[in-house]
Amino acid sequence: SYELTQPLSMSVALGQTARITCGGNNIGSKSVHWYQQRPGQAPVLVIYRDSNRPSGIPERFSGSNSGNTATLTVSRAQAGDEADYYCQVWDSNSWVFGGGTKLTVL
Amino acid sequence: EVQLLESGGGLVQPGGSLRLSCAASGFTFSSYAMTWVRQAPGKGLEWVSDITSSGGRTYYADAVKGRFTISRDNSKSTLFLQMNSLRDEDTAVYYCAKEDNSGNIKWFDPWGQGTLVTVSS
């Protein structure tokens, strides 16, 4: 079965840029979606189809996907960006999530 | 505004059954595929099951295949998950989500607030 690999955690200084990676075999050939989950809340879509932002999501969130790595970039990080982030793809009639990355804003 | 409201969670003994519901509003329910995703305490997201807009096709994660059944009532804008032969490892918050799409590419937006299922003796 297809697997997505994310770093367990990472930290970013307030106002700086965080890049959260999602690794998978030839993931660049798939469409990747990203979800943000704040503590105690339901997940929220922040990026769909590799690099598209839903309405209401700040421009500070961006995405890219190539080769074996997809990346979610959070620019000018704010305290409210502290959350778990999950990548997702569809493969062989099954949805696959990455293990999630806990982003801490220092 | 799109709203999804799950219900039906609770405490159940191993081997027992539970039926979850997800009441949808704010969109044409019959036009969208729907999905269930769960999250065990302190763990990540795990996809459970998918159903097409008409209900004609369903998909399941290996972990629940043969035990869980997804269904929908488009006349009542409601999604269901029948869970049988429950195990300790099924303990989780269960979320329903609407599958938005562009062509044949789909994603989950939005999600409901979730309902907690606890399997324990």
Side-chain angles (χ1 to χ4, degrees):
Chain A
S1 60
Y2 196 78
E3 292 186 357
L4 296 174
T5 302
Q6 297 182 237
L8 202 57
S9 64
M10 63 183 304
S11 60
V12 60
L14 193 66
Q16 296 305 302
T17 297
R19 294 179 178 84
I20 300 172
T21 59
C22 175
N25 184 32
N26 198 26
I27 194 175
S29 67
K30 302 179 182 299
S31 282
V32 180
H33 318 304
W34 291 91
Y35 301 90
Q36 175 194 67
Q37 187 179 32
R38 295 188 174 108
Q41 297 187 19
V44 172
L45 179 74
V46 293
I47 291 289
Y48 66 97
R49 291 181 64 192
D50 298 338
S51 59
N52 294 272
R53 271 178 297 103
S55 60
I57 300 300
E59 291 183 8
R60 301 184 297 101
F61 288 83
S62 62
S64 63
N65 183 21
S66 178
N68 292 318
T69 305
T71 303
L72 172 69
T73 300
V74 183
S75 304
R76 302 183 299 283
Q78 301 179 359
D81 300 332
E82 192 160 285
D84 294 327
Y85 291 86
Y86 297 89
C87 57
Q88 178 201 35
V89 300
W90 173 255
D91 178 82
S92 302
N93 290 333
S94 178
W95 286 104
V96 181
F97 286 99
T101 298
K102 181 177 182 59
L103 179 66
T104 300
V105 180
L106 303 173
Chain B
E1 180 193 5
V2 174
Q3 289 195 338
L4 299 170
L5 184 61
E6 301 95 336
S7 61
L11 175 63
V12 61
Q13 292 187 339
S17 298
L18 214 53
R19 190 194 199 201
L20 305 184
S21 299
C22 170
S25 61
F27 65 103
T28 304
F29 182 74
S30 59
S31 296
Y32 292 90
M34 297 291 293
T35 193
W36 287 99
V37 177
R38 67 185 181 183
Q39 186 170 35
K43 302 297 185 183
L45 302 175
E46 179 188 19
W47 171 71
V48 172
S49 183
D50 233 47
I51 188 168
T52 55
S53 57
S54 67
R57 278 181 294 171
T58 58
Y59 305 90
Y60 298 94
D62 288 344
V64 306
K65 203 171 292 183
R67 300 188 299 123
F68 290 12
T69 302
I70 191 172
S71 63
R72 62 192 297 161
D73 184 340
N74 284 346
S75 69
K76 297 182 178 179
S77 297
T78 304
L79 175 71
F80 302 101
L81 185 67
Q82 177 67 44
M83 303 185 296
N84 298 332
S85 303
L86 283 162
R87 306 167 179 168
D88 290 352
E89 56 264 35
D90 295 319
T91 293
V93 173
Y94 285 73
Y95 296 100
C96 67
K98 167 178 164 280
E99 291 194 14
D100 212 345
N101 68 283
S102 173
N104 63 346
I105 305 298
K106 298 177 292 181
W107 54 89
F108 299 170
D109 184 44
W111 301 53
Q113 283 305 302
T115 187
L116 176 62
V117 172
T118 303
V119 184
S120 175
S121 53

